[in-house]
Amino acid sequence: GEDVEQSLFLSVREGDSSVINCTYTDSSSTYLYWYKQEPGAGLQLLTYIFSNMDMKQDQRLTVLLNKKDKHLSLRIADTQTGDSAIYFCAEFAKGKSTFGDGTTLTVKP
Amino acid sequence: GAVVSQHPSRVICKSGTSVKIECRSLDFQATTMFWYRQFPKKSLMLMATSNEGSKATYEQGVEKDKFLINHASLTLSTLTVTSAHPEDSSFYICSANTGAGELFFGEGSRLTVL
């Protein structure tokens, strides 16, 4: 079945770059998403990429997609303490979305 | 980006009562909305896909009679937790598809059943 996997934790120092990785299994995915969730809050759409693209950049965020390996990554440049949150990778395929378990990003001053 | 609003954001109810949660797309029409459940420190579990004007499609293991979903218009879907029990306590989140590839989420509704 469909499965999305992410590493659970990432810790970086303020000002460094963060790279959060995700793998998925459904080759029919049309869109792949990155969401941010802060404690007690809903999900905030950070960015998404269409499956026929291999890169998308939006200010400090860079998404890389390797469709052959079914690997997606989110790079946050100049990470700030306000970026500390849980980041979810998700795929949209066959009319529904599947989420990874989330990566908790901790940014140390 | 597009806005999806959920109401109420928090609700506490007694065991055996029913609770309705609303999900509205405020600035776009959503033919499809999704309902998720999130357990503490866990990912989102898709409960059902709600299509305007037709019956919802439930994921395996989700009780249709327990979680009633109605998608009455292109901007509103409701989830009713019927005869709620403490094990139904959770964070319920909806999302709406803009049709252009974007999937926006509501802020979530925290249900506590006493």
Side-chain angles (χ1 to χ4, degrees):
Chain A
E2 298 83 5
D3 199 13
V4 178
E5 294 189 353
Q6 315 176 222
S7 51
L8 293 180
F9 302 98
L10 176 65
S11 180
V12 300
R13 292 219 172 268
E14 193 173 16
D16 288 349
S17 292
S18 307
V19 179
I20 303 172
N21 294 300
C22 170
T23 57
Y24 60 98
T25 59
D26 194 333
S27 58
S28 67
S29 297
T30 50
Y31 294 94
L32 295 129
Y33 304 87
W34 284 104
Y35 290 91
K36 177 182 180 183
Q37 187 178 35
E38 298 187 45
L43 272 73
Q44 174 194 354
L45 176 63
L46 288 178
T47 187
Y48 67 99
I49 188 167
F50 189 49
S51 59
N52 68 352
M53 299 168 64
D54 52 21
M55 184 182 110
K56 182 177 180 180
Q57 187 157 1
D58 183 3
Q59 298 183 332
R60 293 192 296 124
L61 306 178
T62 303
V63 178
L64 295 178
L65 174 61
N66 182 326
K67 197 173 180 182
K68 174 176 169 289
D69 294 338
K70 300 189 186 68
H71 181 267
L72 183 74
S73 68
L74 173 69
R75 179 177 179 270
I76 305 172
D78 187 24
T79 314
Q80 303 296 306
T81 53
D83 294 326
S84 293
I86 301 175
Y87 290 80
F88 290 95
C89 162
E91 63 170 357
F92 193 79
K94 302 185 181 77
K96 64 182 184 181
S97 52
T98 304
F99 284 76
D101 284 343
T103 299
T104 299
L105 173 64
T106 303
V107 182
K108 298 178 181 177
Chain B
V3 178
V4 175
S5 172
Q6 264 185 257
H7 177 80
S9 58
R10 293 179 187 273
V11 57
I12 301 172
C13 69
K14 291 183 178 179
S15 188
T17 60
S18 294
V19 174
K20 181 187 283 188
I21 301 169
E22 293 185 347
C23 178
R24 293 181 185 273
S25 54
L26 297 184
D27 52 359
F28 66 99
Q29 293 184 329
T31 53
T32 304
M33 290 185 173
F34 303 91
W35 286 96
Y36 304 81
R37 186 172 176 177
Q38 186 178 33
F39 293 97
K41 299 184 179 179
K42 292 289 185 184
S43 186
L44 281 75
M45 181 190 78
L46 179 65
M47 297 173 67
T49 302
S50 169
N51 296 297
E52 188 266 337
S54 64
K55 289 183 180 179
T57 303
Y58 289 81
E59 294 300 300
Q60 193 172 7
V62 178
E63 298 174 61
K64 300 178 185 181
D65 297 330
K66 174 73 159 173
F67 300 101
L68 300 179
I69 291 172
N70 183 282
H71 196 150
S73 74
L74 287 171
T75 58
L76 174 64
S77 176
T78 60
L79 167 69
T80 301
V81 182
T82 63
S83 186
H85 291 284
E87 58 264 30
D88 299 324
S89 298
S90 193
F91 195 50
Y92 293 88
I93 306 178
C94 73
S95 71
N97 190 340
T98 65
E102 296 161 317
L103 198 60
F104 289 96
F105 284 77
E107 282 297 308
S109 300
R110 185 163 299 284
L111 170 63
T112 303
V113 184
L114 302 176

